[in-house]
């Protein structure tokens, strides 16, 4: 518009008289000063009142700024924020990914709603981009990554495999007898991805089958780490560690070759030790091992995963029928999840404080608890299996996550932490 005004007003007709020309020039000079003044005021106003300028680094270039779009007036906190509508939806479908276990394939199992797929995590003070599978695989070229934990860790790995499959499908190269621990290889990138099933991260004797039926009390050694992962630890360039819900089971605790106590056990001669005490000893032992290791690794410690059982627990008819996220303030962590997360944050802080400048390990906190607590809609619920009989009694799964689903966001956060690092 300014350009049009200038072109129209400064059109000079050579046939005009000199007096007319001088008059026009004077008028046009005044108008030009007015236009320039307006433009300068506008620029000044924008400089004074615009909060931020978003800049993303080019792919493949090193940068000291975060990959996230950050509001310069608000500190970015990846783990505090809200879920906002996302019309783009997930990066993959339940049909396109072939590593989804049956009890997480909610759509195939008959879940009728799909709204839970169209939300993205909006951290406080910044925006995080969608996962870049090709860039991730380039970063992982000739590297290895191990996920260590329980079935939620396996759930997390399957989400990552599904996202990466849009670039290259991995070859499964190993599984244990029960298919709980697995390893995959991406041949084009020589990248190895593993999951090691170690639900306590400690040495334990577990007498429970794949269906959760137990023939004896779990024996847990609070002073000894599980060799299934410690023997493999130095083979990984990246590690994701997590503990959690298995500490709620009936357990007899051992320490220093003697029985220390138990949790929820039938033997009344044993003292209730308390899951908070047991969990603290476990996390402390794990983080001490990592902190004192000479192995050069990036270790992400993921916090506990909340469940969303309502009107009962998993064994007493609990359900999770919600179809949209909670908003901040609508829900709070239950007592157990709150205690476990507090233990994790305290012990992580203690371990991080002991790391010296010469240490090889990079210890990072992947705090997914609060953002996950806002997603009661993301669980399989009664769609953990295909069940054509609508009147049948079905045990709901309100702990694990549908694939695709909210757990995919955990990988967005992992990617952001890698790029920022």
């Amino acid at each position: 518009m300014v350009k049009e005004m200038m072109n129209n007003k400064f059109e000079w007709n050579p046939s005009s008289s000199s007096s007319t020309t001088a008059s026009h020039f004077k008028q046009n000079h005044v108008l030009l000063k007015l236009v320039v003044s307006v433009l300068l005021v506008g620029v000044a106003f924008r400089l004074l009142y615009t909060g931020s300028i978003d800049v993303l680094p080019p792919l493949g270039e090193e940068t000291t700024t975060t990959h996230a779009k950050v509001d310069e007036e608000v500190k970015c906190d990846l783990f505090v924020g809200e879920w906002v509508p996302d019309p783009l939806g997930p990066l993959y479908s339940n049909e396109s990914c072939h590593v989804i276990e049956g009890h997480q394939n909610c759509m195939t199992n008959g879940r009728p709603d799909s709204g839970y797929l169209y939300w993205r995590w909006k951290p406080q003070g910044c925006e995080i981009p969608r996962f870049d599978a090709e860039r991730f695989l380039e970063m992982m070229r000739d590297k290895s990554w191990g996920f260590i934990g329980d079935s939620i860790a396996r759930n997390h790995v399957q989400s990552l495999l599904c996202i990466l499959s849009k670039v290259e499908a991995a070859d499964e190269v190993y599984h244990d007898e029960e298919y709980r621990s697995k390893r995959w290889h991406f041949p084009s990138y020589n990248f190895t991805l593993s999951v090691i099933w170690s639900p306590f991260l400690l040495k334990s004797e577990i007498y429970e089958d794949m269906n959760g039926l137990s023939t004896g009390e779990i024996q847990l050694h609070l002073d000894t780490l599980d060799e299934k992962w410690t023997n493999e630890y130095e083979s990984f360039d990246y590690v994701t560690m997590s503990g959690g819900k298995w500490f709620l089971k009936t357990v007899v605790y051992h320490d220093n070759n003697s029985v220390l106590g138990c949790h929820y056990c039938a033997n009344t001669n044993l003292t209730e030790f308390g899951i908070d005490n047991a969990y603290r000893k476990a996390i402390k032992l794990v983080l001490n091992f990592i902190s004192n290791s000479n192995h050069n690794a990036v270790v992400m410690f993921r916090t506990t995963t909340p469940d969303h059982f309502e009107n009962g627990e998993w064994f007493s008819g609990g359900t999770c029928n919600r179809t949209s996220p909670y908003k901040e303030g609508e829900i709070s962590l239950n007592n157990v999840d709150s205690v476990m997360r507090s233990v994790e944050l305290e012990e992580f802080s203690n371990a991080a404080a002991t790391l010296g400048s010469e240490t090889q390990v990079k210890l990072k906190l992947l705090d997914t608890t609060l953002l996950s607590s806002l997603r009661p809609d993301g669980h399989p619920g009664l769609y953990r299996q295909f069940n054509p009989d609508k009147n049948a009694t079905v045990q709901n799964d309100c702990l694990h996550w549908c694939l695709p689903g909210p757990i995919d966001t955990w990988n967005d956060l992992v990617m952001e932490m890698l790029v920022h690092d």
Side-chain angles (χ1 to χ4, degrees):
M1 179 177 179
V2 171
K3 184 177 180 181
E4 292 175 356
M5 289 172 62
M6 293 176 67
N7 288 338
N8 291 337
K9 293 298 180 181
F10 287 94
E11 182 179 354
W12 183 23
N13 184 355
S15 64
S16 300
S17 65
S18 59
S19 62
T20 302
T21 300
S23 175
H24 283 175
F25 181 81
K26 184 177 181 180
Q27 293 174 2
N28 291 336
H29 182 67
V30 172
L31 181 59
L32 176 60
K33 290 172 68 177
L34 178 62
V35 170
V36 172
S37 298
V38 170
L39 289 173
L40 289 174
V41 170
V43 171
F45 183 88
R46 178 164 183 172
L47 289 174
L48 285 171
Y49 293 101
T50 298
S52 65
I53 299 176
D54 295 336
V55 179
L56 285 177
L59 290 180
E61 291 192 11
E62 302 247 344
T63 176
T64 57
T65 61
T66 178
H67 185 54
K69 295 182 179 181
V70 180
D71 186 331
E72 294 174 351
E73 293 183 351
V74 181
K75 181 178 174 61
C76 178
D77 189 336
L78 290 177
F79 309 120
V80 176
E82 62 179 338
W83 292 91
V84 298
D86 177 21
L88 295 178
L91 292 168
Y92 63 95
S93 72
N94 67 305
E95 295 178 344
S96 67
C97 183
H98 304 295
V99 299
I100 304 174
E101 293 187 6
H103 45 281
Q104 268 96 57
N105 200 330
C106 304
M107 288 294 187
T108 296
N109 291 336
R111 180 164 178 169
D113 63 301
S114 61
Y116 69 97
L117 298 174
Y118 295 92
W119 297 88
R120 66 178 176 84
W121 177 244
K122 167 66 174 67
Q124 179 176 292
C126 61
E127 298 273 357
I128 55 174
R130 286 161 70 85
F131 192 99
D132 188 333
E134 186 171 0
R135 185 178 188 182
F136 179 89
L137 285 169
E138 283 293 348
M139 294 173 70
M140 292 298 113
R141 187 177 292 278
D142 300 324
K143 299 290 194 303
S144 61
W145 196 315
F147 283 72
I148 303 167
D150 56 21
S151 56
I152 299 294
R154 194 162 61 244
N155 201 176
H156 189 181
V157 166
Q158 289 165 6
S159 166
L160 181 57
L161 285 166
C162 286
I163 294 171
L164 298 179
S165 70
K166 303 301 291 183
V167 174
E168 180 173 84
D171 298 325
E172 185 179 317
V173 294
Y174 167 79
H175 61 78
D176 64 4
E177 186 176 349
E178 295 180 322
Y179 290 80
R180 284 175 159 170
S181 296
K182 294 183 178 183
R183 185 177 303 118
W184 298 266
H185 183 248
F186 293 82
S188 299
Y189 298 88
N190 191 30
F191 169 49
T192 302
L193 182 61
S194 303
V195 60
I196 298 177
W197 187 72
S198 181
F200 294 102
L201 305 176
L202 304 178
K203 177 183 176 182
S204 60
E205 289 86 43
I206 300 173
Y207 308 99
E208 184 176 297
D209 64 18
M210 293 293 288
N211 296 316
L213 297 177
S214 179
T215 58
E217 296 173 330
I218 296 170
Q219 308 296 309
L220 184 62
H221 302 265
L222 296 177
D223 57 347
T224 309
L225 294 172
D226 186 357
E227 291 184 352
K228 286 202 297 291
W229 71 266
T230 57
N231 288 343
E232 298 288 336
Y233 177 74
E234 292 193 2
S235 69
F236 299 128
D237 301 290
Y238 297 85
V239 178
T240 303
M241 306 283 303
S242 54
K245 290 294 191 287
W246 273 73
F247 281 82
L248 305 183
K249 292 178 176 286
T250 298
V251 177
V252 175
Y253 300 119
H254 298 256
D255 191 10
N256 196 26
N257 296 319
S258 62
V259 175
L260 183 63
C262 70
H263 171 64
Y264 203 62
C265 57
N267 189 338
T268 56
N269 293 324
L270 296 179
T271 303
E272 172 64 46
F273 185 63
I275 60 170
D276 55 335
N277 295 322
Y279 197 51
R280 185 177 299 279
K281 287 179 71 69
I283 299 306
K284 184 188 294 288
L285 194 63
V286 169
L287 293 178
N288 281 345
F289 172 86
I290 293 170
S291 301
N292 294 321
S293 172
N294 292 322
H295 178 52
N296 184 8
V298 176
V299 180
M300 296 185 180
F301 182 81
R302 181 180 59 75
T303 56
T304 190
T305 303
D307 62 65
H308 290 94
F309 288 99
E310 296 185 75
N311 306 311
E313 298 297 328
W314 66 269
F315 54 84
S316 58
T319 60
C320 44
N321 299 324
R322 297 180 184 269
T323 56
S324 61
Y326 288 119
K327 294 187 180 299
E328 187 177 5
E330 289 184 340
I331 189 68
S332 58
L333 293 179
N334 63 39
N335 183 61
V336 170
D337 288 334
S338 180
V339 167
M340 296 184 81
R341 180 169 178 268
S342 293
V343 168
E344 292 166 339
L345 297 183
E346 290 169 10
E347 293 306 322
F348 181 89
S349 178
N350 292 338
T354 65
L355 294 178
S357 59
E358 302 299 320
T359 186
Q360 297 295 311
V361 67
K362 293 182 179 179
L363 188 58
K364 299 178 178 295
L365 185 69
L366 181 58
D367 187 6
T368 57
T369 303
L370 295 181
L371 65 93
S372 300
S373 71
L374 300 176
R375 294 305 306 271
D377 55 325
H379 302 290
L382 60 88
Y383 301 105
R384 62 189 293 269
Q385 62 188 43
F386 180 72
N387 184 25
D389 184 358
K390 302 302 180 184
N391 297 319
T393 300
V394 178
Q395 184 185 90
N396 281 255
D397 182 354
C398 304
L399 173 62
H400 299 89
W401 302 94
C402 294
L403 293 175
I407 196 172
D408 297 327
T409 294
W410 295 4
N411 289 309
D412 292 338
L413 296 169
V414 167
M415 179 78 181
E416 185 56 40
M417 292 168 69
L418 288 178
V419 172
H420 182 56
D421 182 65

